[in-house]
Amino acid sequence: SQTIHQWPATLVQPVGSPLSLECTVEGTSNPNLYWYRQAAGRGLQLLFYSVGIGQISSEVPQNLSASRPQDRQFILSSKKLLLSDSGFYLCAWSVAGDAQFFGPGTRLTVL
Amino acid sequence: EDQVTQSPEALRLQEGESSSLNCSYTVSGLRGLFWYRQDPGKGPEFLFTLYSAGEEKEKERLKATLTKKESFLHITAPKPEDSATYLCAVQVSGYALNFGKGTSLLVTP
């Protein structure tokens, strides 16, 4: 069966510091991978998605970037965090355009 | 602009009191509508995918239906463990899902 991991689970970072969140998927090959952010009182917002190694599509302009160095690894990064980057970050995978399955999430607080 | 609206924002039910959650959408060319359940501090858990008007899916006490403008998630005889936020999302093109803000359901004993 497929499993998706995210780490860390929680993170508190100062404004201006760098960020690296990691997501890995087990039990499937060549998945589509996604990064979402969920802010308080708002719906899930798609940040990036990837259909293959090195292929990244950005949905909204922002202070973040994503990379996919391996088939089942997806990384979300920032060089300098802003207060507005705080939120619950979720990684998800799917087979092509089918249902998306989410990881446990990372709670990021920027102070 | 594509929109997904869920109602009510919050719902409190007594155990055993059946009800429905609504997801209305204004999109051009719906490819799929998805329902998820999210517990506090956790990632959303996939429940159903609906593709065309008239389609229905069931899982335990939950039943999802789809029309051309909205979807309903019917909860029959809910239990306290059904308490969660229920999210609806639509897929129009490509791979992106457009989520509503969710309905927070509380079922009391």
Side-chain angles (χ1 to χ4, degrees), chain B residues 33 35 48 50 55-59 62-66 71-74:
Chain B
L33 186 141
W35 281 100
F48 304 109
L50 301 167
E55 189 174 359
E56 299 182 351
K57 294 273 182 74
E58 285 188 70
K59 180 180 179 180
L62 300 176
K63 178 180 177 180
T65 62
L66 181 65
S71 176
F72 292 94
L73 184 65
H74 307 277

Side-chain angles (χ1 to χ4, degrees), chain B residues 1-4 25-28 98:
Chain B
E1 181 180 321
D2 297 339
Q3 274 199 321
V4 181
Y25 59 92
T26 54
V27 300
S28 302
N98 186 1

Side-chain angles (χ1 to χ4, degrees), chain B:
Chain B
E1 181 180 321
D2 297 339
Q3 274 199 321
V4 181
T5 305
Q6 292 189 246
S7 61
E9 289 186 13
L11 181 62
R12 183 180 181 129
L13 299 173
Q14 290 272 12
E15 184 172 3
E17 179 187 1
S18 301
S19 188
S20 295
L21 312 182
N22 177 264
C23 172
S24 63
Y25 59 92
T26 54
V27 300
S28 302
L30 179 73
R31 293 182 61 183
L33 186 141
F34 302 82
W35 281 100
Y36 289 84
R37 168 195 170 125
Q38 186 175 24
D39 292 300
K42 297 190 177 181
E45 174 190 345
F46 170 72
L47 295 174
F48 304 109
T49 307
L50 301 167
Y51 293 105
S52 57
E55 189 174 359
E56 299 182 351
K57 294 273 182 74
E58 285 188 70
K59 180 180 179 180
E60 297 180 354
R61 295 177 293 281
L62 300 176
K63 178 180 177 180
T65 62
L66 181 65
T67 72
K68 289 187 178 180
K69 293 184 178 181
E70 58 192 348
S71 176
F72 292 94
L73 184 65
H74 307 277
I75 304 177
T76 302
K79 298 181 178 182
E81 53 262 41
D82 294 322
S83 298
T85 295
Y86 290 85
L87 301 171
C88 165
V90 299
Q91 186 177 52
V92 177
S93 62
Y95 305 108
L97 294 184
N98 186 1
F99 280 85
K101 294 183 179 181
T103 293
S104 177
L105 173 66
L106 176 64
V107 181
T108 58

